[in-house]
Amino acid sequence: QLQFVESGGGLVQPGGSLRLACAASGLALDRYAVGWFRQAPTKDREWVSCISASGGSTYYADSVKGRFTISRDNAKNTVYLQMNSLKPEDSAVYYCAAKYYVCSSLGSAYNYWGQGTQATVSS
């Protein structure tokens, strides 16, 4: 059973940066694509980014393209989301999730989910 623990959330001013980490345990992460999703109060869950199992392919939602970078370190069983130039509308609980090998923007395609970490962008 694959389990995740997200970390790195917090309060940051607009224009600032946060680096989220998604640490896996229970199974090796190298067969799994890992996606990041976010959900703000009163809003639907939104797909943010995904990295393939090999790390060779990355994908981003238009709303974060050019500002966020996803990466992975399979030796550490960890996936990262570097978030730069943060805006108030980026405030949300961020979740990582895993599915076999290839990415998807559909939350229903993912089998394993973390508990989430809160990121708040406010002055």
Side-chain angles (χ1 to χ4, degrees), residues 11-119:
L11 174 64
V12 65
Q13 292 186 340
S17 298
L18 287 172
R19 188 192 193 204
L20 306 184
C22 173
S25 62
L27 291 172
L29 202 55
D30 58 359
R31 295 184 180 182
Y32 294 89
V34 177
W36 284 96
F37 293 78
R38 65 186 182 186
Q39 188 165 20
T42 73
K43 293 189 176 181
D44 291 336
R45 183 175 61 196
E46 176 188 16
W47 171 75
V48 175
S49 181
C50 184
I51 186 166
S52 63
S54 68
S57 298
T58 57
Y59 305 89
Y60 300 93
D62 287 344
S63 58
V64 306
K65 200 172 293 182
R67 300 188 297 122
F68 290 12
T69 302
I70 192 170
S71 62
R72 66 190 297 155
D73 185 340
N74 284 342
K76 294 184 178 180
N77 240 24
T78 301
V79 172
Y80 304 96
L81 186 68
Q82 178 68 44
M83 306 190 297
N84 298 331
S85 302
L86 283 163
K87 306 174 182 179
E89 52 263 44
D90 294 318
S91 297
V93 178
Y94 283 74
Y95 300 89
C96 62
K99 64 179 296 294
Y100 276 122
Y101 292 115
V102 298
C103 284
S104 173
S105 61
L106 298 175
S108 58
Y110 290 78
N111 305 107
Y112 304 102
W113 290 81
Q115 84 291 347
T117 185
Q118 175 73 49

